Amino acid sequence: YHYRKIKEKKYSDIRIELADAEAKGELLGVFAGDGTFFFNKKIYCYVIKFFFNSKTELEYAKELARFFGREFGKEPHLRVEKKGGIVSLTYMSKRLYNFLKEYLFWRITDRLKKSHTVRLKEKRHSKKFKVGFLRGCLDSDGYLSKKKISFASTSRELMKNIEWFLHELGFKRHRILEYQDKRPNRAKMYYV
């Protein structure tokens, strides 16, 4: 930390120049669904991670890494864990953390995780942003079949964002459903 203050950073930070509203919306949708962050005190930096299933979403994670590389000028660190079946994309960037906090709200407490409270701060966005955000949410926490498109989250407010965007884009047949798992220590799930 002190060395960086004196000698400057030894690695290049990402640049965030997302002029395309659809790309911006997609990034925020993916983070809202499958993203997390923490502040690493040992190396004094913000760590942002996106998680995926290594069996079914490996190609999507690689495609997303290329997309981030084009948009940010630096590809994330891609890690495939064979044991847990997880793929992660990682950035160490306060700039990216501040960008995410500019558009998304979340509250973390002893009882609440980011996924329980995440939502967009504003309702008003362009049509392109809404399309990108819905695509990001569908890719991270959605399901597509011949009969329906479903979104799922433990955040009721995120589901309200999705429901509002669907309404604004002309989808008329949608609703929010709740499901409480009977197993102990399970969060209530919300579906659109």
Side-chain angles (χ1 to χ4, degrees):
Y1 167 69
H2 294 291
Y3 181 82
R4 275 199 315 254
K5 275 185 155 182
I6 298 165
K7 293 285 189 179
E8 308 233 344
K9 287 182 183 178
K10 292 296 175 195
Y11 63 91
S12 59
D13 202 353
I14 65 172
R15 67 174 193 280
I16 300 178
E17 300 167 4
L18 290 169
D20 182 26
E22 201 168 323
K24 187 184 293 185
E26 186 170 359
L27 165 66
L28 294 165
V30 170
F31 181 79
D34 283 336
T36 188
F37 85 98
F38 64 94
F39 183 74
N40 188 326
K41 291 180 181 176
K42 285 185 180 179
I43 57 175
Y44 206 80
C45 71
Y46 289 85
V47 179
I48 293 90
K49 291 188 175 208
F50 300 84
F51 292 99
F52 307 95
N53 182 317
S54 66
K55 291 178 182 164
T56 59
E57 299 176 314
L58 180 58
E59 287 307 311
Y60 173 67
K62 288 178 180 177
E63 185 182 318
L64 201 59
R66 288 189 293 273
F67 166 73
F68 286 159
R70 282 191 312 272
E71 294 297 326
F72 298 154
K74 184 177 182 181
E75 282 201 16
H77 174 71
L78 186 139
R79 182 175 175 175
V80 180
E81 295 178 24
K82 303 225 187 244
K83 269 190 177 178
I86 295 172
V87 176
S88 64
L89 301 178
T90 305
Y91 276 112
M92 290 189 284
S93 173
K94 184 176 182 180
R95 189 175 289 162
L96 180 56
Y97 170 78
N98 287 336
F99 173 79
L100 295 168
K101 286 299 281 184
E102 183 181 338
Y103 290 92
L104 294 170
F105 168 84
W106 65 82
R107 184 176 67 251
I108 298 175
T109 65
D110 292 339
R111 299 180 69 203
L112 295 173
K113 297 178 182 178
K114 178 217 119 213
S115 59
H116 297 160
T117 59
V118 68
R119 65 172 168 81
L120 284 166
K121 286 183 177 179
E122 297 289 325
K123 268 189 168 182
R124 292 186 213 171
H125 293 283
S126 69
K127 181 178 180 179
K128 280 185 151 192
F129 179 93
K130 291 172 188 172
V131 168
F133 186 78
L134 289 172
R135 184 171 52 239
C137 288
L138 183 63
D139 288 340
S140 59
D141 281 338
Y143 173 75
L144 181 64
S145 73
K146 291 180 180 179
K147 295 183 179 182
K148 66 181 176 179
I149 300 170
S150 301
F151 300 88
S153 176
T154 55
S155 170
R156 182 173 177 79
E157 295 303 313
L158 180 61
M159 292 298 99
K160 285 182 179 178
N161 289 147
I162 289 170
E163 184 184 41
W164 175 254
F165 284 2
L166 289 170
H167 175 75
E168 289 284 300
L169 293 171
F171 291 89
K172 302 298 179 203
R173 298 180 64 194
H174 53 83
R175 61 183 178 193
I176 294 180
L177 303 170
E178 297 178 13
Y179 174 73
Q180 180 64 57
D181 198 325
K182 291 184 176 27
R183 293 176 289 179
N185 300 325
R186 297 289 180 168
K188 186 182 285 187
M189 292 296 295
Y190 300 94
Y191 298 89
V192 172

